Amino acid sequence: MDKKVKILGIAPYDGMKTLMMRLTGQRDDIDLTVYVGDLETGAEIASRHTFQDYDVILSRGGTAEMISRISPIPVVEIQLSAYDILRSIKLAEHYNDRYAIVGFPGITKNAHFLCDLLGYEIDIYTIHNPEEVGSTLSRLTADGYRMVLCDVVTNSQAQQLGMRSILFTSGSESIEAAFDQAVKTAGTYEALISKAEFFRTLLEDYPYYVFVYTEKEELIYTSKEHHFSQALMASMKHYVPEILAEDTKKFYRDEGNLLVAVNGVRKLTYRQTYVVYYVNAKKVPLSLIKNGVRYIDKNQALEQFYSSFYGLTNPFGVHTSSLELMNQTGAPVMILGEDGTGKEDLAAFLYSQGQFQSKPLAIIDCSRITDKSWQFLTEHTNSPFSDTDTTIYIREIEFLSDRQFKELFSVIRDLNLHRRNHMIFSCTTLEDEEINQNARLLMNHFNCLSLPLPPLRASKGDIPNLANLYISNLNMQLAREIIGLEPEAVALLKEYRWPGNFNQFKRILTELFAVTDTPYIKADSVSKLLMREQPAVLSEEGIPFDLSRTLEEINLDIVRHVLAEEKGNQSRAAKRLGIGRTTLWRMLQSGG
């Protein structure tokens, strides 16, 4: 073709968008625009465009199928190759618990072929539509499966059920093949649909956001880019039958810092009936946001949980269903754990599943409380302590002064705050130390349910699984194809004490991922990075060791210094350094 083929790419995850853009730079026959969107979100993006905008739409799996139903533009599906599936299988091969492959026929057909060819004994389940995902995963959970290898649709629901998951990501060869097919398709496809042109030009310069639904509650037009919550979008879809019957409806929603006014009307156009929403969003004052006091809504809470290391990997197999059961009692909850164990992430999840999820979550950070913000909390009528039927999360109560804690205790008791609202507390605990006495007083007096979070070192055997799950997530986000860690690298991770727990583990893995240009993360990279995590050691004169030498020499001096302080006891020295005795011995041997 003489001109470039204009392709609209709709990727189900960020990593695919990055890879598509990278491969486009190597071609001179296509002009690519890429958005990220899965299923309904992807279909909504496609609905904004007509054949005059693009020649072909490129997407994957169920999203491609859904777009083909509503868009006049031809759709080319990015197929998952056998190599794409094999790469995910390799990431999961050291997983100890039961796992299965779940996917549409295009995935499971190749999976059966690979397993038969390579002798893998992996259970494979085929689904034919998104509605089957929930029941299939529930059945697998009941049968003892703890992880699935799956596509984006299944991945999202697996996280909500507390299952671990590894996403099938598309490699460069699959996307290149789809580009070739898109060029061929554009050369032969010439059909146009006049109705799509109408929706493209509708209300282009209108100051409000405009959403158009069919009588079947299908969103077929959006006037411009938006960041409204799924809850608001669900409300508009829900009210379509009511507006069709009564002609109009107006309602309001609080979208974080925005007050959103939605006006829905029934429209008859070209002998067809539609529901058109005109949406006006205005900023509201942030008068309630003080030092140490902030608010988030349900969608923000869920985003925080599922983007955290805890939500991505579900360490220790703690199922979200157990947290939901804890919510049903309505009793206060005390979350206990070291720094980095995910206390705030679990508090966000508890709120998002609780009975007051329709109202914002009030977060009171005791580590940032000032005299002014404490006065606001205890005296102002807009304080969260004046609320009813809401969720209040008071984090890190160990930072409260004695005076502040006594006032807090009195407020909760005298105002029945724990009965009018759902109270969540958190307190940082340290290994081999008693629980903070103020935390224990709250637990005993207000009958708090206890939610202790174990440190990462309490289950070092799970570290390989957690690392591979997180590497899979990074592969998806950053369009990389790292398979895992060398066995020696895994051993180093298991030997380290992880004082910063999951937050530190996530940071270290992210940096290892960034500096690795081989299929496997090497032990040498892990060793250097973990050595850097050790606290600085001073000489007897209080002067840092000579930093002009190599990192290996400096680390060896540190090891010898700590070993001397421990009078040659290698076990105590290794514990202080946060490494295993094997690593300590290896370093001493390498230094002569």
Side-chain angles (χ1 to χ4, degrees):
M1 299 179 65
D2 295 332
K3 64 182 183 69
K4 290 186 177 182
V5 175
K6 298 176 66 177
I7 299 176
L8 171 62
I10 299 178
Y13 55 89
D14 288 323
M16 179 180 284
K17 174 182 177 180
T18 302
L19 185 55
M20 291 172 74
M21 295 299 295
R22 184 189 306 161
L23 295 174
T24 301
Q26 303 170 11
R27 304 180 64 122
D28 59 2
D29 56 346
I30 61 176
D31 180 8
L32 177 70
T33 302
V34 189
Y35 295 92
V36 177
D38 192 40
L39 294 181
E40 288 87 355
T41 304
E44 183 221 330
I45 295 171
S47 71
R48 305 173 196 156
H49 305 285
T50 72
F51 195 79
Q52 291 185 358
D53 301 316
Y54 296 99
D55 301 309
V56 181
I57 294 177
L58 210 59
S59 192
R60 195 181 88 163
T63 305
E65 181 179 349
M66 188 171 291
I67 292 171
S68 66
R69 296 176 191 160
I70 59 98
S71 175
I73 308 173
V75 178
V76 171
E77 182 177 356
I78 301 171
Q79 301 289 338
L80 271 174
S81 69
Y83 182 73
D84 295 332
I85 297 173
L86 180 60
R87 185 164 53 245
S88 295
I89 291 176
K90 290 292 291 181
L91 277 171
E93 66 180 357
H94 298 299
Y95 187 72
N96 297 324
D97 288 334
R98 297 185 70 187
Y99 67 93
I101 293 175
V102 178
F104 290 87
I107 293 176
T108 56
K109 181 179 178 181
N110 282 337
H112 277 294
F113 171 75
L114 283 172
C115 290
D116 292 342
L117 181 65
L118 300 176
Y120 289 126
E121 294 184 1
I122 303 175
D123 296 325
I124 301 173
Y125 294 84
T126 301
I127 56 175
H128 298 88
N129 57 69
E131 288 72 27
E132 293 180 25
V133 173
S135 59
T136 300
L137 292 180
S138 296
R139 187 168 66 252
L140 290 177
T141 302
D143 290 341
Y145 291 87
R146 295 293 175 259
M147 185 175 77
V148 289
L149 280 62
C150 57
D151 58 11
V152 176
V153 183
T154 310
N155 180 69
S156 176
Q157 295 198 34
Q159 287 185 338
Q160 297 177 25
L161 289 174
M163 297 183 74
R164 295 169 173 169
S165 59
I166 291 179
L167 181 69
F168 288 122
T169 56
S170 297
S172 55
E173 67 282 350
S174 300
I175 295 176
E176 281 283 8
F179 280 160
D180 292 339
Q181 181 60 40
V183 172
K184 293 178 182 178
T185 301
T188 59
Y189 194 85
E190 298 179 349
L192 297 173
I193 300 178
S194 59
K195 185 181 293 185
E197 177 64 15
F198 162 73
F199 287 116
R200 189 184 70 86
T201 58
L202 180 68
L203 301 175
E204 285 183 336
D205 299 320
Y206 198 66
Y208 293 171
Y209 296 88
V210 179
F211 300 86
V212 181
Y213 286 80
T214 67
E215 293 177 288
K216 296 181 179 180
E217 303 176 21
E218 296 175 342
L219 178 63
I220 59 171
Y221 177 79
T222 303
S223 62
K224 48 190 172 182
E225 292 281 354
H226 69 87
H227 300 284
F228 296 129
S229 68
Q230 289 297 318
L232 176 59
M233 302 303 295
S235 295
M236 288 195 289
K237 181 177 180 179
H238 173 75
Y239 288 130
V240 166
E242 183 176 334
I243 296 172
L244 289 172
E246 301 181 6
D247 291 335
T248 64
K249 182 177 182 63
K250 190 171 185 178
F251 61 93
Y252 296 87
R253 287 289 184 273
D254 183 2
E255 292 277 293
N257 298 333
L258 297 175
L259 180 62
V260 179
V262 184
N263 187 24
V265 295
R266 178 177 178 269
K267 293 283 187 180
L268 179 63
T269 307
Y270 295 137
R271 299 181 181 178
Q272 294 198 29
T273 303
Y274 303 95
V275 170
V276 180
Y277 287 102
Y278 304 95
V279 181
N280 185 18
K282 294 183 177 180
K283 286 189 176 182
V284 295
L286 305 181
S287 58
L288 294 183
I289 300 180
K290 309 284 184 180
N291 288 333
V293 183
R294 61 189 177 93
Y295 293 84
I296 62 174
D297 61 19
K298 176 183 177 181
N299 291 315
Q300 292 169 313
L302 285 173
E303 181 180 355
Q304 174 180 329
F305 177 75
Y306 286 120
S307 63
S308 69
F309 192 84
Y310 200 101
L312 290 170
T313 63
N314 190 20
F316 309 116
V318 178
H319 294 288
T320 53
S321 58
S322 63
L323 302 179
E324 294 169 0
L325 290 173
M326 185 174 287
N327 259 337
Q328 292 178 8
T329 66
V333 176
M334 176 67 74
I335 306 175
L336 302 167
E338 296 182 8
D339 283 332
T341 50
K343 297 188 290 295
E344 182 157 344
D345 301 324
L346 285 187
F349 183 82
L350 283 169
Y351 151 71
S352 71
Q353 305 301 308
Q355 59 178 321
F356 305 133
Q357 58 182 262
S358 61
K359 291 188 175 182
L361 167 67
I363 302 175
I364 300 170
D365 186 348
C366 298
S367 67
R368 296 178 55 214
I369 287 292
T370 63
D371 290 340
K372 185 176 181 180
S373 54
W374 186 254
Q375 184 179 7
F376 162 77
L377 283 170
T378 55
E379 299 179 10
H380 203 284
T381 55
N382 285 334
S383 165
F385 294 163
S386 300
D387 288 344
T388 299
D389 295 339
T390 190
T391 306
I392 303 174
Y393 171 40
I394 304 178
R395 67 186 301 269
E396 297 189 295
I397 61 170
E398 68 273 12
F399 282 94
L400 291 177
S401 66
D402 290 341
R403 177 187 62 81
Q404 290 172 334
F405 178 77
K406 290 177 181 178
E407 289 184 12
L408 173 65
F409 187 90
S410 297
V411 167
I412 297 174
R413 181 192 60 197
D414 299 342
L415 300 181
N416 272 326
L417 202 62
H418 61 302
R419 301 187 189 281
R420 295 172 18 225
N421 305 282
H422 188 207
M423 303 293 298
I424 304 174
F425 307 95
S426 71
C427 180
T428 299
T429 57
L430 300 176
E431 187 178 25
D432 300 328
E433 288 192 7
E434 291 289 329
I435 297 175
N436 178 277
Q437 62 178 0
N438 289 340
R440 190 174 295 280
L441 181 60
L442 289 173
M443 294 169 64
N444 292 336
H445 191 88
F446 299 112
N447 297 320
C448 296
L449 300 178
S450 175
L451 183 56
L453 302 181
L456 178 57
R457 61 183 171 277
S459 186
K460 291 189 174 183
D462 209 27
I463 281 179
N465 295 335
L466 299 178
N468 280 341
L469 287 166
Y470 189 61
I471 289 171
S472 170
N473 181 265
L474 289 175
N475 279 332
M476 176 183 67
Q477 291 182 2
L478 303 175
R480 299 281 299 279
E481 299 175 9
I482 291 179
I483 297 174
L485 297 108
E486 289 182 342
E488 295 83 359
V490 173
L492 290 172
L493 293 178
K494 292 172 69 174
E495 290 170 359
Y496 187 60
R497 283 185 57 78
W498 299 108
N501 292 292
F502 298 106
N503 289 351
Q504 184 187 21
F505 190 55
K506 179 180 179 181
R507 174 174 57 81
I508 293 296
L509 284 179
T510 302
E511 186 166 346
L512 288 169
F513 189 93
V515 301
T516 296
D517 57 3
T518 56
Y520 289 91
I521 296 173
K522 295 185 177 298
D524 182 60
S525 299
V526 175
S527 178
K528 290 179 180 178
L529 206 53
L530 291 184
M531 283 298 174
R532 195 187 70 189
E533 294 292 297
Q534 306 306 323
V537 179
L538 303 178
S539 68
E540 292 182 0
E541 293 78 19
I543 302 172
F545 288 105
D546 182 9
L547 300 181
S548 64
R549 295 172 300 151
T550 66
L551 176 63
E552 183 176 357
E553 292 172 331
I554 296 171
N555 285 335
L556 183 59
D557 269 2
I558 294 173
V559 169
R560 287 170 173 165
H561 182 89
V562 174
L563 189 61
E565 288 188 344
E566 296 297 340
K567 297 180 173 56
N569 188 311
Q570 292 190 7
S571 296
R572 289 201 298 267
K575 184 175 181 180
R576 275 185 58 186
L577 291 166
I579 60 177
R581 286 191 61 189
T582 303
T583 304
L584 179 68
W585 179 86
R586 188 186 304 123
M587 293 179 66
L588 293 170
Q589 293 299 312
S590 66

